[in-house]
Structure formats: structure tokens, C-alpha cells
Amino acid sequence: MSVSPSWSALAGVVVLGATLTACGQGEALGTIDTRNAKKELVETISNPRVDGCHRFRAGVTHVANYTVNDLVLYPTADCTEPPGGQSTYLGTQLADTVAPSQGTWRSFTIVH
């Protein structure tokens, strides 16, 4: 039994709709890989929610953003900028490594 072109198109629309619905429900589709100063994998975060502050399990020195959203990285655990410190903007599909003198990143928010 062959599938007609109209059924194939309908199936494509359903898949696209499901994907867009997932985005609309507040998830940054993709993964975030984090590493420590020894370049060891600390954690991989999959499809994080776009709202709120997210903490890393440990301080990290390298973040690779493989999500569909940009990130803001913070040196504090509560997504705030300490006096004299600064956050780091990390675009989608990019990676960044903190300078050794700057310490580690401890949290992030998702730009949406």
C-alpha cells in the first residue's frame, strides 16, 4: 500500500507542529555541555526550561551551547552579577571558555 502525497504532507505538518509546540512550552531544544578546568565533562543539560535561573552542578570553565537559544552565564549561583564581576553572553551553537583569572561560571539563564 503506497502513501499518497497528501498524507505525507499531513504527516510533515504534524511533526512540525509538535516541534513548534515543544518550543512554545518553554524548552530550549538541544543540549548544553559543560567542562571543568581539567577539561573533564561536568554535565550535559538537555532541553532546559527557558524560564528562571539554572545552576550548574559545579563551577565550570567551558560551556558549549548546542540549543536553539542564546545563554547568559553568571559567576554566581543565583544568576546575578557580583560587584566588579560580569555575565557572559553565549549565542546558540557557540562555545566559550572563561579566563583562569575569572573563576568559574555557576549558573545561567536562557534568552527567549
Side-chain angles (χ1 to χ4, degrees):
M1 176 172 156
S2 66
V3 177
S4 72
S6 60
W7 282 109
S8 295
L10 179 61
V13 169
V14 169
V15 169
L16 178 61
T19 301
L20 293 176
T21 299
C23 291
Q25 292 182 357
E27 291 181 348
L29 299 179
T31 61
I32 300 167
D33 291 336
T34 65
R35 297 186 180 277
N36 60 21
K38 296 179 182 178
K39 301 194 186 327
E40 300 166 327
L41 183 66
V42 173
E43 68 182 310
T44 297
I45 303 164
S46 297
N47 304 324
R49 301 224 17 106
V50 296
D51 56 346
C53 178
H54 303 273
R55 290 184 183 175
F56 295 119
R57 286 186 193 153
V60 298
T61 59
H62 178 84
V63 176
N65 178 15
Y66 302 118
T67 70
V68 297
N69 294 78
D70 296 346
L71 307 177
V72 179
L73 308 171
Y74 298 91
T76 60
D78 62 354
C79 298
T80 60
E81 291 185 24
Q86 65 181 14
S87 60
T88 300
Y89 193 91
L90 183 61
T92 184
Q93 305 301 313
L94 296 175
D96 200 0
T97 301
V98 70
S101 62
Q102 297 297 314
T104 60
W105 290 305
R106 301 202 172 273
S107 63
F108 69 97
T109 56
I110 298 174
V111 179
H112 62 287

